[in-house]
């Protein structure tokens, strides 16, 4: 994880109670595959899925905020126990008020991982804005930190471990897997 020098990223990460994720370009590498019948397929990384599970063990909720709508995403979220799924968004910032009302969170307790221009507005409003390594330059400019991994290739896992380490939960969680 590459922290931006002008921010106190670890302090921001300590406050996070909810991680919101974009999908295409973050949970996937941005590829969209259609079969001959026009059915969309997405490829998700198992490491990112494990990162989501680790956050859930640490009592950090994970949600989705995406501009597209996908049945494949719903299946993946169901598999991972993600219930806060916001699809078909033209403006991702609208989910912030819903989440704040439902969970009673302040914006500084919310992180967002994005990769493209449609993510900039929400990234400017959350407590911790994170860009994947292959994000658009304008997204990197507004982020507090940048992953070493690219979208769909372990970036979410990287974020999960960073947040859990910042909150001093990592070693307790790691211990659960080594006993």
């Amino acid at each position: 994880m590459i922290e931006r020098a002008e921010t106190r990223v670890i302090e921001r990460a300590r406050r996070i109670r909810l991680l919101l994720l974009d999908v295409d370009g973050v949970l996937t590498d941005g590829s969209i595959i259609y079969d001959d019948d026009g059915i969309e397929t997405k490829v998700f990384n198992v490491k990112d899925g494990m990162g989501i599970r680790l956050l859930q063990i640490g009592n950090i909720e994970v949600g989705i905020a995406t501009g597209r709508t996908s049945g494949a995403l719903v299946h993946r979220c169901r598999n991972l126990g993600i219930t806060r799924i916001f699809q078909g968004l033209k403006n991702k910032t609208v989910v912030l008020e819903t989440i704040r009302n439902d969970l009673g969170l302040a914006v500084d307790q919310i992180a967002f991982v994005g990769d493209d221009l449609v993510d900039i507005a929400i990234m400017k409003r959350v407590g911790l804005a994170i860009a994947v390594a292959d994000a658009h330059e304008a997204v990197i400019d507004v982020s507090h930190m940048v992953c070493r991994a690219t979208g769909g290739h372990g970036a979410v896992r990287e974020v999960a471990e960073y947040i859990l380490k910042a909150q001093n939960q990592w070693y307790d969680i790691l211990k659960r897997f080594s006993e």
Side-chain angles (χ1 to χ4, degrees), residues 46-157:
V46 71
K47 292 177 185 176
D48 290 334
M50 182 62 168
I52 290 167
R53 294 256 190 229
L54 295 171
L55 287 167
Q56 292 165 336
I57 290 169
N59 293 313
I60 296 168
E61 191 159 348
V62 178
I64 302 295
T66 181
R68 300 188 77 246
T69 300
S70 166
L73 172 65
V74 172
H75 289 289
R76 182 63 173 150
C77 288
R78 189 176 304 131
N79 176 257
L80 293 171
I82 297 172
T83 59
R84 297 196 187 282
I85 308 166
F86 302 91
Q87 297 192 78
L89 299 172
K90 293 192 184 341
N91 178 353
K92 295 180 184 183
T93 62
V94 299
V95 304
L96 291 178
E97 196 60 34
T98 301
I99 288 169
R100 290 181 64 218
N101 289 336
D102 288 352
L103 298 176
L105 297 178
V107 290
D108 71 342
Q109 294 176 296
I110 302 170
F112 183 85
V113 184
D115 73 306
D116 215 335
L117 303 178
V118 297
D119 301 322
I120 292 173
I122 192 169
M123 291 177 79
K124 286 182 170 182
R125 289 168 175 79
V126 296
L128 179 59
I130 305 160
V132 295
D134 55 344
H136 188 279
E137 180 180 320
V139 173
I140 290 172
D141 287 345
V142 300
S143 67
H144 299 111
M145 60 194 312
V146 180
C147 296
R148 294 186 191 284
T150 58
H153 296 282
V156 173
R157 173 69 173 266

Side-chain angles (χ1 to χ4, degrees), residues 19-34:
L19 176 65
L20 280 176
L21 303 168
D22 178 38
V23 177
D24 297 314
V26 173
L27 275 175
T28 74
D29 68 3
S31 298
I32 300 170
I33 302 164
Y34 291 100

